[in-house]
Amino acid sequence: MSVRPLPQSTPAAQGVDADGVHAFLDALEASPDIAPHSLMILRHGHLVASGWWAPYAQDRLHLLYSLSKSFTATAAGLAAAEGLIRLDDPVISYFPEFEADITDPRSRAMLVRHVASMSSGHVAETLDRAQAIDREELVRGFLMVPPDRDPGTVFAYNQPATYTLAAIVQRVTGQSLIDYLRPRLFEPLGIGEAVWQRDRAGRDLGFSGLHSTTDAVLRLGQLYLQNGVWEGERLLPASWVAEATRPQVSNADGSPGGTDWKQGYGLQFWMSRHGYRGDGAYGQFCVVLPEHDAVIAITEETVQMQQVLDLIWEHLLPAFRPAPLSGREQTDAALAERLAGLALPPAAGKPAPAERAEEWATVEFAPGEPSARTTSVEVAAGADGTRLTLVEDGHRIELRLVENGWNVAEEPVPTAVSGGWTDTGTLEADVIFLETPHRLTLTCSLPDRTFTARWHTQPLHPLPLHAMGAPRSF
């Protein structure tokens, strides 16, 4: 389906100071620990700023990691509105086939509300323990891990809790999360393609694995900001929005100050020092600011997620003014021009060394360290540039280095590559897997014919390289 564009406006017309957005962009790009991929800002229902750092692009799906959880919560809210689930039902009531196995009284007392709010009674993540008990049926494995406390009394960020909520929705609807959400959420909101990674049981993961556009993230946030109403039509009950976006359980640890991960947890939404948010590993954000009538969607690659939120509070919050601004035409135009030209700097590197051209013409490199999953790297010079081929268990990813920029390829998985020679014996290239937040640096050494491979951030889903993209890509 075609995506309906959001209403657009200049920042000044919606009371947004473009200088604050410039300052935010400056801070993102100045940080050595942040590689921004996209930014969209909605104010008073109007898109006032949007940009993608090339080689990322507007229509490119992006792995959301745990921001997927907020979409799962929305599916649960829709199922609740249809009378298919109730927050105060015992979880075990949806899985009667496990009745004989689940004997712990706390597990049997666990409610849908508890798995939706990360208050199952466990005091720590249970994924490894649940998988060890039953790798084929994670719900059973999770319910067989006895909670440490009474459900509802303690917070612990816990992937199987969300997985169980997602499994309940998929069981009562008879559909995958994607199929259930499409006519009820994606189509009414004007969201295009979205795909979800599945597990061994054939279920959409729920707690992670959703690939969608930044635009989809922004629209979800705006739906919640509008209390579940979109273009005059109620999609979500106002009561669900209120429950999802208020603290259901405390996650404060008593330390002074407190970060944005210590402000309370709703139903698959985090409470923030300002507003609330969904977020995912390595900096995927949907920040909803009711007090400013604004939504901010960000994708990026960073482990410094608190730093990103701090920059939002420092630069963007003051930019939201109570009334339209006058005389800002040039400032708004300058911001629009900047946003249209955003780009990640390509990896550094020099052209192929002429004095060693014959040695580099065709060469194969073996792994220089046991942890490298790629079994070999081939380099071949040609009229159209240097070809860099990654070989992994018989699968080949063929890349082509061009001077001074990123070269994008779509098959077998969307990638962008840049790089060159750091000296006459060393070729270094960065490979971005464009439907994920991840970048791989390859270093090939001519003297010993070996290569090393280093992830800038470690992928949380252990996939082969040719499958490092949205599931429909392979």
Side-chain angles (χ1 to χ4, degrees), residues 111-376:
L111 306 179
V112 175
R113 178 185 301 278
H114 299 143
V115 293
S117 60
M118 298 292 188
S119 59
S120 62
H122 300 95
V123 298
E125 171 69 63
T126 65
L127 182 59
D128 289 345
R129 286 179 288 167
Q131 288 178 332
I133 293 171
D134 194 333
R135 183 163 290 276
E136 301 300 322
E137 178 46 90
L138 188 59
V139 172
R140 179 177 175 274
F142 169 60
L143 292 175
M144 291 187 70
V145 177
D148 308 280
R149 312 271 180 82
D150 289 340
T153 63
V154 62
F155 171 87
Y157 197 66
N158 197 351
Q159 312 302 335
T162 311
Y163 179 88
T164 298
L165 178 66
I168 291 171
V169 173
Q170 290 173 93
R171 172 161 289 201
V172 299
T173 64
Q175 295 179 284
S176 68
L177 293 177
I178 283 285
D179 289 343
Y180 181 67
L181 285 173
R182 189 160 305 286
R184 295 166 176 83
L185 183 74
F186 296 152
E187 291 178 1
L189 293 189
I191 292 173
E193 185 182 17
V195 290
W196 218 311
Q197 185 178 335
R198 294 187 171 183
D199 73 339
R200 294 167 178 256
R203 297 188 184 113
D204 289 349
L205 279 181
F207 63 84
S208 186
L210 178 61
H211 292 73
S212 77
T213 61
T214 315
D215 178 87
V217 172
L218 194 73
R219 291 169 189 252
L220 180 75
Q222 184 66 15
L223 175 66
Y224 275 82
L225 181 65
Q226 295 173 170
N227 291 313
V229 174
W230 189 267
E231 295 181 348
E233 179 186 358
R234 175 159 297 285
L235 302 183
L236 271 176
S239 58
W240 178 269
V241 174
E243 286 291 291
T245 62
R246 72 170 180 84
Q248 297 281 332
V249 59
S250 172
N251 57 4
D253 59 5
S255 59
T259 72
D260 282 288
W261 279 264
K262 299 295 182 183
Q263 307 299 316
Y265 195 80
L267 302 180
Q268 307 296 298
F269 283 92
W270 294 90
M271 305 301 104
S272 295
R273 286 177 289 168
H274 305 275
Y276 56 89
R277 71 188 192 281
D279 67 38
Y282 305 127
Q284 323 319 312
F285 284 111
C286 177
V287 180
V288 183
L289 301 168
E291 66 271 35
H292 296 287
D293 194 23
V295 182
I296 302 165
I298 300 174
T299 62
E300 61 199 330
E301 181 184 23
T302 185
V303 295
Q304 301 297 333
M305 292 174 64
Q306 182 62 64
Q307 180 184 349
V308 176
L309 290 174
D310 290 343
L311 293 176
I312 291 174
W313 310 149
E314 180 181 354
H315 298 295
L316 293 183
L317 283 192
F320 296 134
R321 304 295 180 81
L325 306 174
S326 60
R328 304 306 299 272
E329 291 80 10
Q330 288 186 340
T331 306
D332 285 353
L335 177 61
E337 182 178 2
R338 179 178 183 178
L339 289 167
L342 296 173
L344 294 176
K350 303 173 184 177
E355 66 271 28
R356 304 189 73 172
E358 186 174 341
E359 293 177 83
W360 280 105
T362 304
V363 59
E364 183 174 351
F365 297 89
E369 54 188 32
S371 61
R373 294 183 57 180
T374 304
T375 50
S376 69

